[in-house]
Amino acid sequence: MKDRTSSSKIYLDVVESLRRMIEADSLLPGDKIPSERELSDRFNVGRSSVREALRALELLGLIETRRGEGTFIRDFQEHKLVELLGTFFLQDKKVQEDLAETKRLIEIDCLRIVAFFATAEDIKRLMGWVKAEDFRDDDFFLRIAILNRNRLLERIWRIINSYARTSEIVQGNVKKEDYLSLLTYLLERDEEKAIETYLIRIRNMSKDE
Amino acid sequence: MKDRTSSSKIYLDVVESLRRMIEADSLLPGDKIPSERELSDRFNVGRSSVREALRALELLGLIETRRGEGTFIRDFQEHKLVELLGTFFLQDKKVQEDLAETKRLIEIDCLRIVAFFATAEDIKRLMGWVKAEDFRDDDFFLRIAILNRNRLLERIWRIINSYARTSEIVQGNVKKEDYLSLLTYLLERDEEKAIETYLIRIRNMSKDE
DNA sequence: TGAAATCTAGTGGTCAGACCACAGCGGCCT
DNA sequence: AGGCCGCTGTGGTCTGACCACTAGATTTCA
């Protein structure tokens, strides 16, 4: 029998089937997916194949399993596999550099968008937060990424950031004034100055890319 | 019995053990790792647990398995994270718009980098190609993405492009002159003009983002 | 009646053993 | 030398059996 067209790796078929199922049933984070036994039944594959797929997705942080309860879709924001990849094989030099550079580019893109589209209120609220709270650099840029209304770009930033965090990219001690002056330029819609402030004062770079 | 200290999930222990083993034996991409049966033996766990760990790492793109041969370490540059997250949850409506916008942003980033760092030769070669060949828009920007030396950014572009292509983003009929004039500005290191050309003549937009 | 203890069905976690399909190797025959 | 064959080891898959745990229904008892 075995009518599956794709010639190899049942567990990959299962991953795909799960994807489709989630899509079709519009399952959201927190929702429960059928039990392993039922899936194995529904897809006509052995339970072990289903498990291989589920374990892989679990390691990716896309699902969560609780013994005795079931398997649930997870909030994708927090793929914790990142640490894994980090501890695993992220010691490559070139990758580190690319990572840092890409992160900078994305952040600049976000700044540009914010400078154009964010409301004055949003920016002022962020300024209040900067004054009030104690925060890390990536807390700040997470908020920037959220302010830009492009969810995809935000997600890309989150992913890259979580990778970058595992590496030893040490943030120099940046001061609140720098963030505030950056925000001030954003408020004035002065994209140019904002980016200059970002590069020079926050990322300690010269004015090239 | 079961003396394993971590209270849960043997397959996670196996992942960790594998990590250590790879580290300890300084295994490099291309190297073979022990067979599933031997690992199951060495770690004192069932073969299925070993398999769950291996399948997860395989889905991540960290290892590669060849039936009848064995399991091998892969080039870590190409972990599958972004693709997977993409294929899984990139189906919303709004995402389509974000997709197009992000694609533009990334392309602009690439243009900036190329304007700064690409050699005149590279750019001239590309101009020759534009004149000689018949190409699609994404063929062109793929080459731009490659010219920028940031492999991560290139990959992000490729992914976004593959998704954008499936959606209904129709490319207006762009003419070779437009691409050539873009390249001319790049050759002159005129970032400003290049991006303007990109936005207005190639993407048919006004001069905002 | 209401709360606590208990039972039970269902779920994930793990293992052992059995086949299958395939790749590589070595020996055998011509 | 060249080609055929079968052995061995590897990943791929399935099955059935337990175990550990959870939640909800049931029973028990104050």
Side-chain angles (χ1 to χ4, degrees), chain A residues 15-29 33 57 62-63 73 76, chain B residues 88-89 91:
Chain A
V15 167
E16 176 59 16
S17 301
L18 283 171
R19 196 189 68 70
R20 276 195 228 281
M21 176 164 115
I22 292 173
E23 191 175 34
D25 302 356
S26 336
L27 297 183
L28 297 177
I33 68 182
L57 293 179
L62 295 176
I63 61 174
I73 298 187
F76 328 130
Chain B
F88 249 73
F89 315 96
Q91 44 237 1

Side-chain angles (χ1 to χ4, degrees), chain A residues 131-182:
Chain A
K131 286 174 192 156
E133 302 286 328
D134 230 19
F135 60 91
R136 283 206 320 275
D137 181 80
D138 53 346
D139 290 326
F140 178 79
F141 281 99
L142 171 57
R143 281 172 171 75
I144 293 288
I146 293 175
L147 265 195
N148 116 295
R149 290 288 166 192
N150 185 323
R151 301 239 303 129
L152 176 58
L153 201 58
E154 177 195 332
R155 197 178 315 159
I156 293 177
W157 182 86
R158 295 184 107 110
I159 294 171
I160 294 180
N161 178 58
S162 41
Y163 276 104
R165 200 152 45 156
T166 64
S167 76
E168 83 299 345
I169 297 177
V170 184
Q171 300 294 354
N173 42 353
V174 205
K175 302 192 184 69
K176 290 201 175 189
E177 305 101 70
D178 295 329
Y179 293 96
L180 283 177
S181 92
L182 172 59

Side-chain angles (χ1 to χ4, degrees), chain B residues 155-170:
Chain B
R155 272 188 52 232
I156 293 177
W157 182 87
R158 296 185 106 111
I159 295 163
I160 293 180
N161 180 57
S162 59
Y163 280 99
R165 200 152 46 158
T166 65
S167 76
E168 83 298 349
I169 298 176
V170 186

Side-chain angles (χ1 to χ4, degrees), chain B residues 5 26-27 38 45-46 55 59 62 68 80-81 83 90-92 95 110 128 133 158 163-164 166 178 188:
Chain B
T5 59
S26 335
L27 297 183
E38 182 181 335
V45 299
R55 267 355 95 212
L59 190 63
L62 295 178
K80 295 267 177 50
L81 170 61
E83 290 91 330
L90 212 55
Q91 44 237 1
D92 312 13
V95 171
C110 289
E133 301 286 328
R158 296 185 106 111
Y163 280 99
T166 65
D178 295 329
E188 299 167 357

Side-chain angles (χ1 to χ4, degrees), chain A residues 100-148:
Chain A
E101 181 180 59
T102 306
K103 182 156 177 282
R104 253 177 281 128
L105 291 169
I106 302 281
E107 285 170 350
I108 290 176
D109 287 336
C110 289
L111 287 177
R112 284 209 172 84
I113 297 181
V114 169
F116 264 106
F117 296 115
T119 69
E121 267 175 40
D122 282 337
I123 299 179
K124 281 176 184 163
R125 191 176 316 122
L126 196 48
M127 293 177 87
W129 175 80
V130 167
K131 286 174 192 156
E133 302 286 328
D134 230 19
F135 60 91
R136 283 206 320 275
D137 181 80
D138 53 346
D139 290 326
F140 178 79
F141 281 99
L142 171 57
R143 281 172 171 75
I144 293 288
I146 293 175
L147 265 195
N148 116 295

